[in-house]
Each structure stands twice: as structure tokens, then as C-alpha cells.
């Protein structure tokens, strides 16, 4: 399917410059490359597009995938539809960075070009390095002619971090390898990690109609054995889990996962602090909470940076206006949240954005700011070209009101101390208040004025 470049650029296709005609041809044959994507970014002038949050040059993006530091580069992959700003057949888009702030477009790393991905796509997954080779573990989403869906886990690999080959033995893991009652249509998003000399996967699944996070073990990344459901029948697991992420910080175990509840309830990202029993393959929960206080944060994934710090990146989207940008002719749709370093403070998980900090004043621009004296009774108003954001400090929380051209809503963020860190960047707002964060897709751009009283 050839992409609709008129919708992407706002320019009639008959008047597109030669480079855009080339883009149309290259995307149509599935060989989008770094140079072309950079040219698209150069040609676009979209006030809604953020400056500091990663977006694809064109098309829909969702879940961050395969986050890893490999051979001197941070690699970011994400779900991508290069042909439209709406969700559709998924590819893996690829970008890399030296500092987690500035990203180089590398185009499509994986495309649904195998029979086991037919009519479906290359769905979410993760990455690991074994014997100096980079492996991607991903879900192949296959849709049969009769509409039957089959999700399996597959491998791709690279020796340079740029060119990827799919494993000839794919798929390496199917629903038949899991527990009884596991739905083949709901078995996805493998997160791979190493523990005590063995490789493990946590994979999302629906077992007998309930969400589970399933643990598998391997010695070679190819042959996997089922271990257990890592977290037993918790009410916050809904009818389906997605994008599980097991990790440890200073020996403390955490399991994050997105939950589909159904029945018109928003999907959320949950994080469980617990005690891991590796003999049983089970996590005993000690504490459960939402990973973020906003509805637009989803499908987070974490990895270790070059210094061994745990970094997490979420997908940010408007939970109930997901198609607004595509429907109004914008080239891109969806963004990654700012990378966040995860640490423990008095045993509690703290998220700190990886960003460059600016000096706060009455005249402001897109960026990140420390507000060190946000005491009860104070109020910050950010005024943009098409809306405003009001943040009121009460005794123990912040009341956040967003007045945008798309919606007017109120949110609440717990306050600990008097410091609030914030980032506003065309179309999004992220607030960091020690143990709790609030991430919103606001559709407000051009913020240049701050009223602080």
C-alpha cells in the first residue's frame, strides 16, 4: 500500500519535490532508509510535533521495543505503520542515539515479510546481547484467511546493530508451549533478560480469559520451556496483560505490565514490587501501584544504560483521541515519553527524566524545568498558542487542569515535598513529583508564557 503523502505533508502530491516522490516509491516497496526519513523531517513544519520527544518522521507509532545499549549506541525500536497515521500492519521502526536525547532515524528494522506474520504484523518485543550479537525477540501476529489470529514468538539478529536477519527456525515459541488454556490469539510482547546464567522471557497472555504474565526459560534463546505464571491471579491483571517488564534495582524485584480491563475502562500500566522465588518462578507482591497517574502513558519498557542505570521509556498517546492527528492530516501520530532513570529512594521507586534542564522564567520555551519552591497555595499557568495548563498546589497534591482545543480535563498528582519537575513539549506534558509522575498528551503547542504566583 502506497502512503498518502498528501495527508502526511499537506502538499498536493502533484507538486511534491523529487525527494518526496522518492519517499513514496521507497515506502511502497518497504525499503525506507535513514536519508529519506531525515528529508521528510526537514520538509515538515508541524507545530504539534514535539522537539524533545521521539516521533517517527511519518506514520503511526506505539510501543517502544528492543531498548538496548549495543556497540556504543542506544537503540530504540518501536511499533510503526509507515503507510498511515492510523494503527495498522506493524513494522519495527529503528533509531539510535549517543545520549538518549538526540535520535538518528534508521528506518524500518523489521517488516512483516514472512508467512508466520502474514496479514498481521511484527508486534512488540525486546532485545538482548549474546556472544556480541544483538538479538531481537518479537511477536509475529498472523491473521489467517478466516480471520483466526495466531501470535508466536520469534527471533531476529544482527552483528552490526543496523541489519537484521530473521531466525530460520521461527517461530521459536508458540502458545502450545505454554500452559493449558493459553489463547493463541493473546500471547505477545516478550521481554527477554538474563538471570544466573540462564535466559528468561516474560510474555503476556490470556489464560482461560484472564490476563497473565508467563515465564519461560532457555539456555540458547531458541529452545524455551514454560516455567510458571510469574504473578498469580491479581485483580489488576484484567482480561489481558500486555508489554510485561521484569527488572531489578539494587536487588529489589519489580514487574511492570499494561492491563486491558475491557468494559470501557481505560487500559493502565501497573507496577508490582515483590519478592522473586526463582525456584518456583513466582513473584510474591509486596506493593502494587500505577506506574503513572495519567491515562496516556502505556507499554513502558526498561533497559540498562552504559553505566548500569535502569532506564525506562513509555509510549505516550491520547487515550481517547488516538486518531485525531491522523484524521486532521498530520504526518505523525504517537510519541515516546522522555527516557526516565529509575532508582530507589527509601525503598520507593523514583523516576527522573533524562533531559537537559532550562532556567525557569516568565518567558519559557519547550523544555524541562525544576520548580523547587512549589508550596501549597502556589499556582503555575502555562499559556500556549492554542490552550493553557493550570497547576495548583494543595496540601498534599497538585491539581492539574488542561484546556486544549481537543478537551478540558482535570488530573491529580500526589505531592511529596515542594519540588516539581516538569517538561512541556508541543502536544505533551510530563510532571515528576518524586514517587509519582503524570504524563499527558495535551495537543497544546507554542507555550511561551508562564504565570507563577
Amino acid at each position: 500500500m502506497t502512503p498518502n503523502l498528501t495527508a502526511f505533508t499537506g502538499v498536493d502530491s502533484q507538486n511534491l519535490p523529487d525527494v518526496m516522490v522518492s519517499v513514496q516509491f521507497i515506502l511502497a516497496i518497504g525499503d525506507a532508509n535513514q536519508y529519506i526519513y531525515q528529508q521528510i523531517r526537514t520538509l515538515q513544519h508541524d507545530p504539534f510535533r514535539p522537539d524533545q520527544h521521539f516521533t517517527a518522521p511519518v506514520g503511526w507509532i506505539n510501543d517502544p521495543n528492543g531498548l538496548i545499549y549495543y556497540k556504543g549506541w542506544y537503540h530504540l525500536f518501536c511499533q510503526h505503520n509507515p503507510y498511515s497515521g492510523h494503527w495498522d500492519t506493524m513494522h519495527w521502526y529503528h533509531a539510535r542515539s549517543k545520549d538518549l536525547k538526540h535520535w538518528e532515524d534508521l528506518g524500518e528494522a523489521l517488516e512483516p515479510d514472512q508467512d508466520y506474520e502474514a496479514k498481521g504484523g511484527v508486534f512488540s518485543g525486546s532485545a538482548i546481547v549474546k556472544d556480541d550479537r544483538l538479538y531481537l525477540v518479537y511477536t509475529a501476529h498472523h491473521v489467517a484467511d478466516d480471520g483466526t489470529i495466531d501470535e508466536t514468538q520469534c527471533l531476529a539478529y544482527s552483528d552490526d546493530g543496523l541489519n537484521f536477519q530473521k531466525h530460520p527456525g521461527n517461530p521459536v515459541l508458540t502458545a502450545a508451549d505454554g500452559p493449558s488454556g493459553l489463547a493463541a490469539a493473546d500471547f505477545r510482547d516478550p521481554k527477554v533478560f538474563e538471570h544466573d546464567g540462564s535466559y528468561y522471557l516474560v510474555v503476556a497472555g490470556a489464560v482461560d480469559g484472564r490476563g497473565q504474565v508467563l515465564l519461560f526459560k532457555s539456555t540458547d534463546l531458541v529452545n524455551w520451556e514454560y516455567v510458571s505464571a510469574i504473578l498469580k491471579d491479581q485483580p489488576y491483571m484484567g482480561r489481558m496483560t500486555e508489554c510485561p517488564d521484569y527488572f531489578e534495582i539494587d536487588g529489589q524485584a519489580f514487574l511492570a505490565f499494561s492491563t486491558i480491563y475491557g468494559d470501557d475502562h481505560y487500559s493502565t500500566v501497573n507496577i508490582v514490587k515483590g519478592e522473586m522465588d526463582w525456584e518456583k518462578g513466582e513473584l510474591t507482591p509486596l506493593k502494587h501501584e500505577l506506574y503513572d497517574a495519567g491515562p496516556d502513558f502505556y507499554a513502558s519498557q526498561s533497559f540498562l544504560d552504559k553505566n548500569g542505570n535502569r532506564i525506562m521509556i513509555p509510549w505516550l498517546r491520547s487515550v481517547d483521541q488516538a486518531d485525531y492527528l491522523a484524521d486532521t492530516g498530520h504526518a505523525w501520530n504517537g510519541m515516546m515519553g522522555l527516557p526516565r532513570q529509575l532508582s530507589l529512594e527509601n525503598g520507593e521507586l523514583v523516576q527522573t527524566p533524562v533531559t537537559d534542564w532550562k532556567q525557569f522564567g516568565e518567558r519559557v520555551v519547550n523544555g524541562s524545568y525544576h520548580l523547587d519552591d512549589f508550596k501549597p497555595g502556589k499556582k503555575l499557568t502555562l499559556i500556549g498558542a492554542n490552550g493553557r495548563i493550570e497547576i495548583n498546589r494543595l496540601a498534599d497534591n497538585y491539581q492539574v487542569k488542561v484546556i486544549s482545543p481537543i478537551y478540558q480535563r482535570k488530573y491529580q498528582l500526589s505531592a511529596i515535598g515542594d519540588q516539581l519537575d516538569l517538561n512541556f513539549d508541543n502536544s505533551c506534558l510530563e510532571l515528576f513529583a518524586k514517587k509519582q509522575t503524570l504524563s499527558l498528551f495535551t495537543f497544546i503547542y507554542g507555550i511561551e508564557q508562564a504565570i507563577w504566583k
Side-chain angles (χ1 to χ4, degrees), residues 32 49 112 282 355:
R49 188 190 286 273
E282 295 179 5
T355 185

Side-chain angles (χ1 to χ4, degrees), residues 64-69 75 125-127 191-193 243-249 254-256 271 291 299-305 309-314 340-342 349:
N65 297 156
L67 304 179
I68 199 163
Y69 184 74
H75 291 265
S126 54
K191 174 64 188 298
V192 62
F193 59 96
C243 303
D245 183 17
Y246 176 87
F247 59 90
E248 296 180 3
I249 300 177
F254 291 90
L255 179 66
I271 186 162
Y291 219 164
S300 58
Q301 186 175 114
S302 73
F303 71 106
L304 294 177
D305 71 7
N309 299 309
R310 177 65 54 175
I311 305 295
M312 179 267 284
I313 298 178
R340 305 154 182 227
Q341 182 174 328
L342 304 181
L349 193 66

Side-chain angles (χ1 to χ4, degrees), residues 373-424:
D373 191 32
F374 212 139
K375 297 182 181 296
K378 300 200 77 170
K379 177 180 179 180
L380 172 66
T381 301
L382 301 170
I383 301 174
N386 63 341
R388 71 180 188 272
I389 298 164
E390 300 173 359
I391 305 173
N392 283 280
R393 171 66 195 272
L394 304 183
D396 57 1
N397 62 68
Y398 299 96
Q399 298 291 322
V400 181
K401 183 177 182 180
V402 177
I403 303 171
S404 86
I406 311 304
Y407 65 82
Q408 294 187 24
R409 294 202 190 101
K410 294 181 179 180
Y411 305 92
Q412 183 171 296
L413 178 67
S414 296
I416 299 177
D418 295 331
Q419 178 175 317
L420 178 68
D421 295 336
L422 73 158
N423 174 279
F424 54 86

Side-chain angles (χ1 to χ4, degrees), residues 103-178:
W103 295 94
E104 175 187 353
D105 295 306
L106 297 174
E108 310 304 313
L110 300 178
E111 302 174 15
D113 54 8
Q114 302 297 313
D115 290 344
Y116 48 82
E117 303 151 349
K119 298 182 180 178
V122 180
F123 274 30
S124 292
S126 54
I128 197 167
V129 176
K130 177 180 180 293
D131 299 328
D132 203 38
R133 172 173 282 181
L134 176 59
Y135 286 87
L136 307 180
V137 190
Y138 69 93
T139 296
H141 183 85
H142 176 267
V143 182
D145 291 340
D146 64 359
T148 301
I149 295 173
D150 187 27
E151 294 187 332
T152 58
Q153 315 316 316
C154 299
L155 282 176
Y157 55 87
S158 172
D159 292 316
D160 61 7
L162 298 173
N163 302 285
F164 292 87
Q165 178 71 40
K166 292 179 181 176
H167 192 278
N170 282 342
V172 298
L173 182 60
T174 72
D177 300 313

